[in-house]
Amino acid sequence: MLTPCLRPKKRALALGAAAFVFASAFACGPDFPLELLQNRAQTLQGLPSGYFDFEAAHLVPKPAEKLTPELDLDSAWFEASAENPVADRQKEIETKGYSPAQIEAWARARAADSAAQALTEASNLPVPDQHYLAGAVAFRAGDLAVAKSEFEAILALGAAGQSRVVWAEFMLARTALASGEGAGDADATAHFAAARALAAGGAPDPLGLAVASFGAQAQLSWWQFSNGDTNPADQATRQTSDIATELPRAVELYARQAAYGSAAANASLLVVARWLNKNSDALAQGLTDPLTRKLMTAYAFSRGFEAMDDAQTEAFTTSGDADYKDPDLTAGMPGAQVAPSLLDALLASAPDGKLDGGDRLAAALYRAGRFDDAAKLSASSDLPLAIWVRAKLALRAGDQKKAAAEYAKVIKAYSADEHWVPGSAYEAVGMLGAQCRVQGEAGTLALSQGDFAEAMTQFFNASADYKNDMSYVAERLMTTTDLQAFVDAHTKPQTLQKVPASEYSPLHYEIPYDEKTNSYAAGYEQHTLRAVLARRLMREGQYEKALAYFNSPLDQESAKNYGAALRDAEKASGIKKAEALFTAASLARSAGMEIMGTELKPDYAVWGGSYGDYEPTAEELAENPELAKTAPKPDALISAEEAKRVLANAPKPDQRFHYRRTAVSLAEQASALLPPRSQAYAATMCSATRWIVFDDPAEGERLYRHYLKLGAYVPWGGIFGTSATCPKPEFARAQTMLDAQTYAARKKLLKKALPFAIAGFGALILLGVALIWRRRKATAR
């Protein structure tokens, strides 16, 4: 059974790359989906870089306690100073449930000059809130003894102070640290631990202070050996003993904080990793700790490229225009940016050649081009990433059969909700599914082997991220019969949500989007595939079959009317046939993208036709006719059969917005059946000209001149070839004109033929008289 990957969170995929396997580049545009077939060699040889935030969140097992990650209060420290105003989010939480009068009292208490004044101003607030506000005012003013007394008063309330006990413990820890006393660190550690225990036990913690306490406590250890310096050029005062004891403690606390989903912890761990990478002695000692070694392995896998340059910036090339060296695009290729010294240190630290996170190190080694080391480290691991590395190595060795088998193992090993594959070089967040990426690569491999059915299966499973690759296989490589069988077996009709017409948008239907989960409803890839099949059937003239695969009622109605108009044209003649042909032509032009446009090249229905390939000019085509060929050239990754099918399954004509030319052709056929001097003829030719003149000025000129040669003058003739809407053809008047012309022609013919008819009639009479006379004469004898 097919199990398509879940749609990841809505994100910007600003990919300035081609939208077809043989396409050229786009300018800036919408959210372009990722595509693996654009550069197949890179897809199959390269290995995606990791995502540090994902790695940081998985350094330690997911905690059982349900604690809220700390809120970003736009402050390095909670209740930082008197000059630092309370964040809006904190105010909202603190005053939740307050009346307007209480909110005013809260504001006065916050602005008080002393704890005593704060207590007076907050007298109409709950007792725990009074003590907390007084303590906060004292803490910000530097009156630590009073602050401590007020926070302890909350704890003394017992159950009555439950709403502020986590806050009180956290601030008691802060107060102990601020006191500067010898036992301050120990007291702070105890209070931080107490805050976490209370929150885990169910005490309210809307600000996420329990999770924040991990980072605050970790910083105590971090300061012991780093001096708080995140870019230390001089670490002469750093003590080796401090690193041995405090570094593992800091890493563990930050890792526990990160496991709760803390963005601050991710940033802190990255600072630690960068610091260690810049200090070789500290790195060597830190790697003796298993968790620190796992952190640095994750860093090498996800951020190792930056280790080649300033640890505070991204890596750039060292020549040319200093272009951004995208770690994903260089993965596993010559010139991949991963610090050799870091990799060597990690390898040397691995006991018996094994270490926790060895699959990440194998991937980092592969990305750095150290394939022998990557092979050794990945050989003994059954983790998905290690198997993925083995698949890449098999491809490099030319063993596609083994690679396919390894890909099958990886797909089964990954869970559908593991998202860490970078979306693009320009995307900071919104990682993609690792399983989906592997399925896409497996589809790319199957395609290079000419197995279109397997490629379709894999891209369908991964289509939420790589739906353009799926559409390419469906639209240009599979036979219509095979595609229909696949769609029938693996999809079902989709229900779209109706979007009412507005000032800016007409009535339309779209895929339901859940704002709560920030994701599209299930069936996203099914919607795309059914629409691709529906439009392909329409292009092939299988109108009845196509109707079952349209998801939008509007598109289905347009397709139904288009097919009906063409059938009417087949059965009719004269003006009725012309009217049916023009109806079909109008639908082809107005709804052509929706009912017969190609998902990708040349129409790009995927973006409503707004974006597409660069189209060569007539001059360029004259100089290089090869530019007109749209099939990729066969090579090691593109089979001759694929190139052949791409051409065979192209739309007719294979030009941008091909359905517009279909509309023009139908309109011309209609005009040939109309009286050239009629309004209907002029209006039909006007529409045909307007539909094509901006795409093909030469064709528009031809149509206009043809009209001038045969048609009559009309008052609105000036709108030919403009954006103005042409008048509707008056077919009834055309029929009347045709009838009159026919009557006049018959009358004229009769007038010309009357003398001959009279002469003939007279001749017949004379002949009859002669015959009678001869018969009588013969009888008389």
Side-chain angles (χ1 to χ4, degrees), residues 247-555:
L247 173 61
R249 188 176 301 163
V251 171
E252 179 190 6
L253 288 166
Y254 281 137
R256 291 176 64 186
Q257 183 186 17
Y260 284 102
S262 168
N266 297 340
S268 298
L269 286 167
L270 185 56
V271 168
V272 173
R274 285 170 168 167
W275 185 88
L276 286 172
N277 185 66
K278 287 292 184 179
N279 293 272
S280 56
D281 292 341
L283 175 64
Q285 189 160 3
L287 291 181
T288 61
D289 171 56
L291 188 58
T292 303
R293 187 164 60 236
K294 189 175 181 181
L295 167 65
M296 296 310 294
T297 301
Y299 174 73
F301 170 53
S302 61
R303 308 281 307 177
F305 64 95
E306 72 177 15
M308 299 294 290
D309 201 358
D310 180 355
Q312 302 301 319
T313 64
E314 304 292 349
F316 290 80
T317 55
T318 56
S319 62
D321 297 327
D323 294 327
Y324 178 77
K325 182 173 283 297
D326 172 18
D328 188 39
L329 296 182
T330 59
M333 305 292 281
Q337 296 279 33
V338 184
S341 59
L342 176 58
L343 295 176
D344 289 336
L346 287 168
L347 281 172
S349 71
D352 302 324
K354 299 180 181 180
L355 75 163
D356 191 9
D359 58 329
R360 263 60 183 164
L361 181 54
L365 289 164
Y366 179 89
R367 287 168 49 73
R370 297 172 61 166
F371 304 119
D372 290 341
D373 288 334
K376 293 176 183 177
L377 205 58
S378 64
S380 59
S381 175
D382 290 327
L383 293 173
L385 186 56
I387 304 173
W388 197 349
V389 171
R390 295 203 297 268
K392 297 289 184 182
L393 292 170
L395 284 172
R396 292 189 64 85
D399 192 343
Q400 293 189 351
K401 183 177 180 181
K402 180 180 179 181
E406 297 287 15
Y407 271 122
K409 294 178 185 177
V410 184
I411 292 171
K412 292 181 180 179
Y414 271 126
S415 62
D417 59 353
E418 185 166 330
H419 291 79
W420 56 261
V421 178
S424 75
Y426 310 101
E427 185 180 356
V429 296
M431 296 296 103
L432 309 180
Q435 184 188 66
C436 288
R437 171 61 183 246
V438 175
Q439 288 168 330
E441 289 188 10
T444 303
L445 177 59
L447 196 59
S448 69
Q449 297 172 321
D451 191 344
F452 305 132
E454 177 64 16
M456 183 72 246
T457 298
Q458 295 297 347
F459 282 125
F460 176 77
N461 286 349
S463 63
D465 294 323
Y466 307 108
K467 69 188 185 79
N468 276 11
D469 293 325
M470 176 196 72
S471 297
Y472 167 67
V473 177
E475 198 162 60
R476 303 300 285 266
L477 302 183
M478 296 190 77
T479 66
T480 306
T481 301
D482 289 344
L483 177 59
Q484 187 174 358
F486 186 93
V487 171
D488 288 342
H490 302 298
T491 73
K492 58 183 179 181
Q494 302 296 293
T495 301
L496 305 186
Q497 61 186 12
K498 183 177 181 180
V499 180
S502 68
E503 179 183 354
Y504 306 102
S505 174
L507 169 69
H508 67 283
Y509 292 80
E510 62 184 32
I511 305 170
Y513 189 81
D514 190 339
E515 296 292 347
K516 291 183 178 179
T517 62
N518 199 26
S519 62
Y520 287 103
Y524 187 90
E525 66 288 332
Q526 296 189 31
H527 164 77
T528 298
L529 193 57
R530 292 181 71 86
V532 166
L533 173 59
R535 296 195 298 267
R536 182 169 174 179
L537 289 169
M538 289 293 291
R539 291 194 299 272
E540 295 178 2
Q542 302 186 59
Y543 309 124
E544 289 297 327
K545 283 186 179 180
L547 296 179
Y549 299 100
F550 281 105
N551 299 306
S552 167
L554 294 178
D555 297 344

Side-chain angles (χ1 to χ4, degrees), residues 5-34:
C5 289
L6 299 176
R7 180 75 176 170
K9 289 185 177 181
K10 199 174 186 181
R11 58 190 179 274
L13 301 179
L15 185 67
F20 222 168
V21 64
F22 41 81
S24 52
F26 290 112
C28 294
D31 293 350
F32 295 124
L34 296 177

Side-chain angles (χ1 to χ4, degrees), residues 125-133 150 154 157 160-164:
L125 301 181
V127 174
D129 299 22
Q130 296 177 30
H131 287 300
Y132 180 77
L133 287 169
E150 292 295 339
I154 296 174
L157 293 174
Q162 185 78 348
S163 64
R164 291 292 186 269

Side-chain angles (χ1 to χ4, degrees), residues 38-39 84 97 145 209 284 296 432 570 698 728:
Q38 178 203 352
N39 189 335
N84 188 6
L209 296 180
M296 296 310 294
L432 309 180
E570 290 179 358
K728 292 182 179 180

